[in-house]
């Protein structure tokens, strides 16, 4: 399973994009969520274009970006196709969906979005572009819980090292325990010097926003015949999913057996939570398998 997690993280790194201002300055990050479609923060796009953060209409100007960890300097363009501007009143805000206008780098892979009921103290990794680091740096932290807006709090408990700050916006947040993306970095604490904290838009919200965009991406993908290279990649992805699927089913069977013989409320509750989390992971893998099988025909 360790090898699977490692391979998943290597794939995760290929999804990360670096977004540029028209003058060449790096303004933030984004990530690939399906072949040809990306997510980032709306405020990253407004900064890239030099327009107001609260712009309600989706911008039409092209966005410049690259995949820094697999094809640095290979500039691509993308167009905004879905838009939720920065807002003090909307529950879902500060999210932008982009469609690439250029061919993907061959090794680029979409992220795996994952969810769980309780993420407290989960270790995370984030790759961003704070001031003076256009080539990017890695930050690590732990997760806390949601605030009243539904954003999940990030807290850096290290004494040294990089933290989530300005320049990380739009970056996918990798959860070490779940081996997948649990959200998108959206904000960082700026007013309190001694507080190393930030926030992410959780996957549940991204999934809600992504439903229409995801369907659009699927229709677009299915409308074109698969090239031999894409077919080989899909078959490999399908093969890679088999091990975590089998392991997930085995863990679920074990948990259900333990639940059947549990004889005190506290143990029963803990097992119910674990069963729900494990079922959620398995459902996600099954969904990915079905999606790949549909594409393969």
């Amino acid at each position: 399973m360790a090898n699977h997690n490692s391979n998943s993280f290597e794939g995760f790194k290929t999804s990360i994009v670096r977004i540029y201002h028209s003058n060449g300055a790096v303004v933030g990050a984004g990530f690939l969520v399906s072949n040809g479609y990306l997510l980032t923060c709306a405020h990253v796009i407004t900064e890239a274009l030099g327009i107001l953060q609260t712009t309600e209409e989706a911008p039409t100007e092209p966005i410049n970006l690259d995949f820094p960890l697999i094809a640095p300097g290979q500039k691509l363009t993308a167009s905004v196709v879905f838009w939720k501007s920065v807002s003090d009143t909307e529950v879902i805000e500060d999210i932008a969906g982009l469609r690439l206008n250029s061919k993907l780098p061959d090794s680029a892979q979409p992220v795996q979005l994952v969810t769980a009921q309780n993420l407290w103290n989960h270790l995370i990794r984030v790759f961003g572009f704070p001031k003076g680091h256009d080539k990017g740096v890695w930050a690590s932290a732990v997760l806390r819980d949601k605030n009243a807006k539904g954003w999940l709090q990030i807290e850096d408990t290290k004494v040294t090292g990089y933290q989530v700050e300005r320049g990380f916006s739009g970056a996918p947040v990798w959860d070490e325990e779940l081996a997948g993306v649990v959200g998108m970095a959206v904000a960082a604490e700026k007013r309190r010097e001694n507080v190393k904290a930030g926030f992410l838009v959780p996957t549940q919200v991204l999934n809600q926003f992504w439903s229409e965009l995801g369907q659009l991406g699927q229709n677009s993908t299915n409308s074109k015949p698969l090239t031999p290279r894409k077919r080989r990649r899909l078959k490999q992805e399908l093969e890679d999913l088999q091990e975590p699927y089998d392991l997930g089913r085995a863990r679920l069977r074990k948990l259900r057996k333990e639940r059947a013989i549990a004889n005190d409320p506290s143990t029963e509750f803990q097992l119910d939570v674990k069963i729900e989390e494990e079922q959620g992971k398995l459902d996600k893998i099954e969904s990915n398998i079905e999606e790949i099988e549909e594409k393969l025909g």
Side-chain angles (χ1 to χ4, degrees):
M1 191 62 179
N3 288 338
H4 168 68
N5 287 354
S6 176
N7 291 338
S8 295
F9 182 69
E10 291 305 309
F12 160 78
K13 291 194 291 187
T14 73
S15 75
I16 298 169
V17 301
R18 175 172 48 185
I19 297 175
Y20 295 86
H21 189 280
S22 56
N23 64 10
V26 177
V27 296
F31 56 103
L32 191 67
V33 284
S34 77
N35 290 330
Y37 289 86
L38 309 157
L39 286 180
T40 186
C41 294
H43 79 260
V44 171
I45 300 303
T46 57
E47 186 171 351
L49 298 175
I51 59 179
L52 291 175
Q53 278 196 358
T54 52
T55 299
E56 294 185 2
E57 294 294 322
T60 57
E61 295 89 342
I63 307 301
N64 297 313
L65 56 89
D66 68 356
F67 286 76
L69 299 180
I70 55 172
Q74 183 182 322
K75 291 288 186 70
L76 311 174
T77 64
S79 300
V80 177
V81 290
F82 277 79
W83 184 253
K84 289 288 184 181
S85 62
V86 173
S87 172
D88 291 330
T89 58
E90 295 293 327
V91 176
I92 299 180
E93 60 143 335
D94 205 356
I95 306 175
L98 310 178
R99 181 179 59 230
L100 277 171
N101 302 324
S102 315
K103 183 179 179 295
L104 273 173
D106 288 340
S107 56
Q109 297 179 32
V111 298
Q112 180 178 358
L113 298 174
V114 297
T115 61
Q117 291 297 317
N118 182 12
L119 296 172
W120 186 275
N121 237 22
H122 279 212
L123 296 174
I124 60 167
R125 303 186 209 179
V126 197
F127 188 75
F129 308 94
K131 186 175 181 180
H133 293 282
D134 287 356
K135 291 180 173 58
V137 297
W138 288 97
S140 63
V142 295
L143 295 178
R144 294 312 185 199
D145 211 334
K146 295 177 183 177
N147 63 11
K149 192 175 185 62
W151 287 357
L152 202 63
Q153 185 175 318
I154 300 168
E155 184 176 322
D156 186 357
T157 57
K158 308 183 306 297
V159 175
T160 60
Y162 293 103
Q163 66 187 63
V164 174
E165 57 182 289
R166 181 181 175 88
F168 281 81
S169 292
V173 178
W174 174 265
D175 186 298
E176 299 273 27
E177 184 173 335
L178 299 179
V181 170
V182 291
M184 175 178 70
V186 67
E189 177 62 55
K190 294 181 287 188
R191 297 180 180 178
R192 295 172 174 81
E193 287 187 18
N194 296 326
V195 176
K196 298 194 293 182
F199 294 91
L200 63 82
V201 181
T203 295
Q204 290 91 332
V205 175
L206 296 179
N207 279 337
Q208 185 178 343
F209 175 82
W210 169 246
S211 58
E212 289 183 72
L213 184 56
Q215 187 62 45
L216 179 62
Q218 185 178 18
N219 290 343
S220 173
T221 301
N222 290 340
S223 65
K224 300 176 183 178
L226 292 173
T227 64
R229 176 179 292 175
K230 286 183 179 178
R231 184 170 289 277
R232 286 195 300 272
R233 185 197 301 174
L234 287 171
K235 285 182 177 180
Q236 184 60 54
E237 289 177 9
L238 196 60
E239 184 178 331
D240 291 343
L241 286 171
Q242 191 59 52
E243 180 185 0
Y245 178 71
D246 291 341
L247 289 172
R249 290 184 64 188
R251 283 194 299 268
L252 200 54
R253 285 195 300 269
K254 181 181 177 183
L255 288 169
R256 284 173 174 162
K257 286 180 181 179
E258 292 176 4
R259 177 63 174 81
I261 61 174
N263 55 13
D264 71 273
S266 176
T267 302
E268 290 174 354
F269 175 75
Q270 292 176 11
L271 288 170
D272 285 340
V273 171
K274 290 181 180 179
I275 288 170
E276 184 178 351
E277 290 180 355
E278 200 62 51
Q279 185 64 62
K281 296 177 191 177
L282 196 61
D283 289 345
K284 181 64 178 178
I285 295 174
E286 287 179 343
S287 177
N288 290 342
I289 289 173
E290 289 173 2
E291 182 179 345
I292 294 173
E293 288 176 340
E294 286 179 6
K295 289 178 181 177
L296 288 171

